[in-house]
Amino acid sequence: MKALVFHGPGQKAWEEVPDPKILAPTDAIVRIESTTICGTDLHILRGDVPAVTDGRILGHEGVGVITELGAAVTELSIGDRVIVSCISACGKCDLCIGGLPSHCLAAEGASGIGWILGHLIDGTQAELVRIPFAETSLHRLPDGLSPETAVLISDILPTGHEIGVQYGGVKAGDVVAVVGAGPVGLAAMTTAQLYGPSKVIAVDLDPNRAELSLGFGATHAVVSSDEDWREQVMALTDGLGVDVAIEAVGIPQTWDMVVDIVRPGGHVANVGVHGAPVELALDELWIRNLRITTGLVNANTARMLTKLVAEGRIDPSGFVSHRFALDDIQDAYDTFSRAAETKALKVVLKA
């Protein structure tokens, strides 16, 4: 088969590789119909995730058809169309049972980490992929839900929902700011609507993305290159600051921004993938009664989100800005990596 293979920082190739095989009785082989590129893949290519080694097939999002099953898989069938979860969860260890499959203790990949596809084992940017723990890491695609839309449930929709909105404790009447109007930030804005915030303020350096966010649940948009961006946000909060500040970029500057605009007693929810340390000024923050959360998505709300998307209660289809054939994945990476120029949000690759 062909797959997108990582060959060290800045190096990748669409090349022939051996087809995946069933290695454990709980495995499935899935023929990919749609996949996409995540900001995390760009972090990998920049060398921010050193656990990813030369020869690894990238990608952790996908929709496809089951072509082969291990002997222990009884809840799925060959021919089922399925959504691939970005988290591979055994479903049996203490952390999976405790609601934290992002740190699954199974030995596949590495014990203690549930994000293994395209990281510690071969991923979904390929014609075929092996999925460990198939029954707890795949879920059926509902009739009428397109693979292009469903692939957004693999990662970005549950990430924005769980790590941004749920970890942030968004509740009815809250003023929420999301710093970063990329795909995951937009997913946080979209799913925040489930909890009834009074305002959702999108903050982004790119005026196009800031304006675009108004179609994804944001009630106000602020361009962070404006000298008075902070004053604009504070004016929307009676000068107190936001109840929940969601960081959805992953750089020190945006971390400083969310800390700067959250009110006393508020909540900072970090969603961005950080490749460098940030400053935590506890000499100033200790007195502000803040809660700060971080996290890797558990994807344990993916099935619920699938139902909402299938019923039209949430519509993430507008996240898709560009479409490519799977064979054109190098062009897709180029487009996605130059999002400020190309206005790319999510690029979908179709086999």
Side-chain angles (χ1 to χ4, degrees):
M1 70 169 186
K2 297 197 79 172
L4 197 282
V5 182
F6 175 73
H7 289 300
Q11 302 296 317
K12 63 188 184 307
W14 179 245
E15 61 189 48
E16 295 279 349
V17 297
D19 288 356
K21 300 183 182 302
I22 296 287
L23 300 180
T26 52
D27 286 353
I29 304 296
V30 174
R31 180 174 296 280
I32 291 295
E33 291 185 313
S34 291
T35 186
T36 184
I37 302 168
C38 180
T40 304
D41 297 321
L42 300 185
H43 279 281
I44 290 170
L45 285 166
R46 286 197 290 264
D48 293 341
V49 190
V52 182
T53 55
D54 187 355
R56 178 67 62 229
I57 297 171
L58 297 181
H60 52 267
E61 303 160 275
V63 172
V65 178
I66 295 174
T67 62
E68 192 175 351
L69 289 171
V73 182
T74 60
E75 299 299 316
L76 296 166
S77 302
I78 291 174
D80 282 350
R81 299 178 80 197
V82 290
I83 301 170
V84 177
S85 174
C86 63
I87 298 297
S88 302
C90 75
K92 297 180 178 179
C93 71
D94 285 349
L95 292 180
C96 280
I97 292 171
L100 205 63
S102 58
H103 294 282
C104 175
L105 295 171
E108 181 81 42
S111 181
I113 185 75
W115 168 47
I116 56 176
L117 288 171
H119 177 204
L120 304 175
I121 68 170
D122 287 337
T124 59
Q125 290 171 8
E127 294 175 334
L128 296 163
V129 60
R130 179 180 73 91
I131 303 297
F133 316 120
E135 292 185 344
T136 45
S137 305
L138 297 171
H139 48 283
R140 288 186 182 88
L141 184 71
D143 292 340
L145 183 56
S146 73
E148 176 179 294
T149 299
V151 76
L152 305 171
I153 303 170
S154 286
D155 183 357
I156 66 162
L157 208 59
T159 295
H161 176 236
E162 295 171 20
I163 308 306
V165 177
Q166 287 193 327
Y167 275 29
V170 175
K171 60 186 183 300
D174 276 353
V175 178
V176 178
V178 181
V179 176
V184 172
L186 293 176
M189 297 175 208
T190 297
T191 56
Q193 305 312 303
L194 298 172
Y195 300 85
S198 61
K199 295 176 183 175
V200 176
I201 307 165
V203 183
D204 199 278
L205 188 64
D206 181 351
N208 174 66
R209 283 197 168 184
E211 183 67 23
L212 192 66
S213 68
L214 296 173
F216 291 93
T219 58
H220 300 78
V222 173
V223 179
S224 56
S225 59
D226 292 348
E227 289 187 7
D228 66 342
W229 74 268
R230 183 182 183 276
E231 287 72 23
Q232 292 180 49
V233 172
M234 298 301 281
L236 295 167
T237 69
D238 298 324
L240 295 175
V242 301
D243 298 287
V244 182
I246 298 173
E247 197 285 330
V249 180
I251 58 175
Q253 294 93 322
T254 49
W255 169 260
D256 292 341
M257 290 168 68
V258 292
V259 172
D260 197 29
I261 60 176
V262 69
R263 70 176 58 202
H267 198 132
V268 174
N270 182 84
V271 186
V273 177
H274 287 264
V278 302
E279 180 180 354
L280 185 63
L282 280 177
D283 57 327
E284 300 175 6
L285 298 180
W286 72 270
I287 203 170
R288 290 176 58 190
N289 297 73
L290 299 180
R291 289 168 294 161
I292 296 173
T293 55
T294 68
L296 173 62
V297 64
N298 290 295
N300 50 17
T301 67
R303 296 189 187 213
M304 176 270 285
L305 292 168
T306 299
K307 293 177 182 178
L308 293 174
V309 173
E311 293 299 322
R313 300 293 301 277
I314 295 175
D315 182 12
S317 60
F319 293 0
V320 179
S321 60
H322 293 74
R323 296 162 180 85
F324 294 85
L326 187 56
D327 281 339
D328 294 327
I329 193 167
Q330 294 278 31
D331 292 337
Y333 262 92
D334 177 64
T335 296
F336 187 64
S337 67
R338 295 186 296 109
E341 302 169 49
T342 62
K343 299 185 177 1
L345 290 175
K346 288 297 277 186
V347 299
V348 169
L349 297 127
K350 298 181 180 182

